[in-house]
Amino acid sequence: MSSSSVRPTTIALATVGALATGFLAYAFYFDHKRRTDPEFRKALKRESRRIAKAAKEEAEAQGAQQKRAIRQAVDDRQEEGFPTTVEDKESFFMSMVGQGESLCQNEAMHLEAALCFYSALKVYPQPSDLVAIYDKTCPKPVIDILAEMVAYDGSMPLSGLGGGSGSDAGGSGGAIDD
């Protein structure tokens, strides 16, 4: 008596073939349904609109949350205060710029980097010149956050912050009105 056994590779190939056939059959069914059934098309459009609306609401909520975080960070930094003597301002400025430059490299730390640049900007004697440098050297997301911080603060008379193109601003530093 000969024993006829099925090899495991044959079983595996048959299983993969059955799954592929099932997937293709579903794809053809879905395509046919999409092309011929108006209710199915409407349902797909409704689902697409619902997903787009949810994504838009999430983006708006995230933007509002970021604005709250920016305002809280600025308020906290102002409560801490800023140095008053020239020597303290100079060392504080150098420290904040160094921290900001190192934090800039990490996308998750853009708020903290912008806060460091904001602090340096508060003690710098010529903020417009410093903003022009930031505009040329910092990534655009950091510049945008910094612009929101300056706008919220209101005590620094700057215009044009965030109007540049971030780190890809060729040689033009025309984002600041003197």
Side-chain angles (χ1 to χ4, degrees):
M1 239 167 130
S2 78
S3 120
S4 66
S5 65
V6 181
R7 293 188 304 188
T9 55
T10 306
I11 294 173
L13 286 174
T15 304
V16 169
L19 289 175
T21 303
F23 177 76
L24 284 174
Y26 180 73
F28 281 120
Y29 165 77
F30 181 82
D31 186 51
H32 174 71
K33 189 88 165 159
R34 181 184 58 85
R35 290 178 188 232
T36 59
D37 189 357
E39 287 300 316
F40 189 71
R41 282 196 305 268
K42 287 179 186 175
L44 286 176
K45 284 182 183 177
R46 278 193 299 270
E47 182 68 16
S48 175
R49 277 187 243 130
R50 186 188 63 79
I51 290 171
K53 182 179 177 184
K56 180 181 175 186
E57 289 173 355
E58 172 137 1
E60 288 174 356
Q62 196 172 27
Q65 180 183 2
Q66 183 178 10
K67 281 190 177 203
R68 283 192 300 274
I70 288 171
R71 289 179 176 182
Q72 184 64 43
V74 169
D75 289 342
D76 290 347
R77 187 54 58 107
Q78 287 178 345
E79 284 179 18
E80 291 173 11
F82 298 97
T84 54
T85 66
V86 174
E87 295 83 18
D88 289 343
K89 283 183 179 182
E90 185 177 325
S91 65
F92 181 76
F93 171 80
M94 295 304 290
S95 168
M96 288 293 107
V97 168
Q99 285 179 15
E101 287 175 350
S102 64
L103 291 172
C104 247
Q105 307 307 319
N106 184 354
E107 286 184 28
M109 304 296 282
H110 280 176
L111 177 64
E112 290 80 3
L115 187 60
C116 289
F117 290 135
Y118 166 79
S119 299
L121 193 62
K122 287 289 280 188
V123 297
Y124 197 72
Q126 303 279 318
S128 296
D129 296 341
L130 187 58
V131 169
I133 294 169
Y134 286 163
D135 196 39
K136 292 177 185 176
T137 60
C138 293
K140 181 154 177 34
V142 175
I143 294 295
D144 293 342
I145 295 171
L146 183 60
E148 286 189 43
M149 288 178 170
V150 169
Y152 176 68
D153 181 0
S155 67
M156 287 187 278
L158 299 174
S159 60
L161 182 64
S165 56
S167 60
D168 57 359
S172 66
I176 304 300
D177 296 335
D178 288 327

